[in-house]
Amino acid sequence: MDKAFITTGDGCRIAWRFDGPEGAPILLLSNSLGTDMGMWAPQMEQWAHRFRVLRYDQRGHGASDAPAGAYSIDRLGRDVIELLDALDIATVDFCGLSLGGMVGQWLGIREPHRLRRLVLANTSSFMGPPDAWDARIALVRRQGMAPLARASVERWFTQAFAQSGRHAIAPIAAMLQATDPQGYAGCCAAIRDMDMRRTVALIQTPTLVIGATHDPATPPTHSNALATAIAGSRLAMLKAAHLANVEQPIAFQDAVHGMLSGPSPV
């Protein structure tokens, strides 16, 4: 289906779409900073056979609105709750990468009754220092997305994959270039102000943490810290940089499917 829209309580239009058979378990996917729902393309063929896949564009990204001002993790999390409420969906399996994984942590802490299982990929509970994010916000407001898009692509993939996987990287680079600078800056502020290092231990939802051995943005120490803090969670480390689902698509989809293939928790 084509993208559809819901409007949140503060007037922001959020783009979403379903793929996969009606009646299948719902898997909700949440994209990273600087991408849109298209970042999940490497997994969609397989997952749409097994799940009713619900994707959406984070506020400030893709076809969703990009309101002016700083956003918060609380606001991004409530966007998900308002989407589920609008679609009359009680519970989902959730998989988020990077910023999407931060939203997933918020949901696990604040709205656990909406989750069956949780996958937190290439993400962290805290990404200081604030002045680094302030500098990034200033840069995007001054020069737009071009310099940040180039820098992000270099950090998101290993050197080897940058040479061999250009066909997979090209769509990601295009998403970065197309991101609204105002929306990107708003989400940077959400990451800047986020600190869930203490509260993440409250998550009781069955959780898989996916990390990557060569991730400079959310390095293995961040993945290990998450897995240690969330009681009973599992940790999978992939040989990749930050966008592990693009660099290691089969290993990523298999790890998620392994988490979600068991009986749904009561």
Side-chain angles (χ1 to χ4, degrees):
M1 64 175 290
D2 293 329
K3 290 183 180 180
F5 297 88
I6 64 116
T7 301
T8 63
D10 68 339
C12 180
R13 289 204 325 159
I14 301 293
W16 63 275
R17 66 172 286 165
F18 269 128
D19 294 277
E22 292 187 27
I26 297 173
L27 172 59
L28 174 57
L29 303 178
S30 187
N31 60 285
S32 71
L33 178 68
T35 68
D36 59 34
M37 66 177 74
M39 69 161 279
W40 299 106
Q43 283 71 49
M44 285 305 300
E45 182 177 356
Q46 289 295 321
W47 285 353
H49 284 302
R50 297 168 168 152
F51 307 106
R52 179 72 162 161
V53 182
L54 173 58
R55 289 180 287 170
Y56 74 103
D57 291 335
Q58 296 272 11
R59 173 181 297 242
H61 291 69
S64 292
D65 287 348
Y71 309 160
S72 67
I73 290 296
D74 182 74
R75 179 63 261 178
L76 298 179
R78 284 188 287 123
D79 287 345
V80 173
I81 297 303
E82 291 194 48
L83 173 62
L84 296 180
D85 287 347
L87 299 178
D88 197 24
I89 297 170
T91 60
V92 295
D93 291 320
F94 182 97
C95 176
L97 188 147
S98 191
L99 176 60
M102 297 168 199
V103 173
Q105 292 171 64
W106 184 93
L107 292 169
I109 296 163
R110 300 291 297 275
E111 298 282 345
H113 58 288
R114 309 303 293 266
L115 302 176
R116 292 189 298 263
R117 288 160 293 208
L118 180 60
V119 180
L120 306 173
N122 302 93
T123 193
S124 179
S125 296
F126 176 74
M127 290 196 67
D131 56 356
W133 292 101
D134 287 336
R136 190 182 297 200
I137 291 167
L139 178 63
V140 73
R141 286 177 174 164
R142 188 171 62 249
Q143 298 186 30
M145 286 301 299
L148 284 161
R150 288 191 298 270
S152 293
V153 167
E154 290 173 2
R155 285 169 55 81
W156 284 1
F157 305 103
T158 62
Q159 270 193 321
F161 190 71
Q163 296 300 316
S164 64
R166 292 178 182 175
H167 64 289
I169 294 173
I172 301 298
M175 289 178 212
L176 280 159
Q177 291 279 8
T179 300
D180 189 310
Q182 183 166 271
Y184 184 92
C187 283
C188 283
I191 298 172
R192 176 196 65 196
D193 299 338
M194 171 201 72
D195 188 349
M196 296 184 283
R197 286 175 291 183
R198 293 187 178 183
T199 52
V200 76
L202 298 173
I203 294 176
Q204 297 182 0
T205 303
T207 300
L208 170 67
V209 177
I210 298 178
T213 54
H214 296 85
D215 186 348
T218 53
T221 52
H222 291 215
S223 303
N224 285 320
L226 267 178
T228 299
I230 302 171
S233 64
R234 292 152 49 184
L235 174 63
M237 294 298 296
L238 306 183
K239 293 182 178 179
H242 191 51
L243 285 199
N245 78 301
V246 176
E247 187 160 350
Q248 292 285 352
I250 295 174
F252 190 98
Q253 74 186 24
D254 287 351
V256 173
H257 184 246
M259 177 65 184
L260 304 186
S261 60
S264 182
V266 177

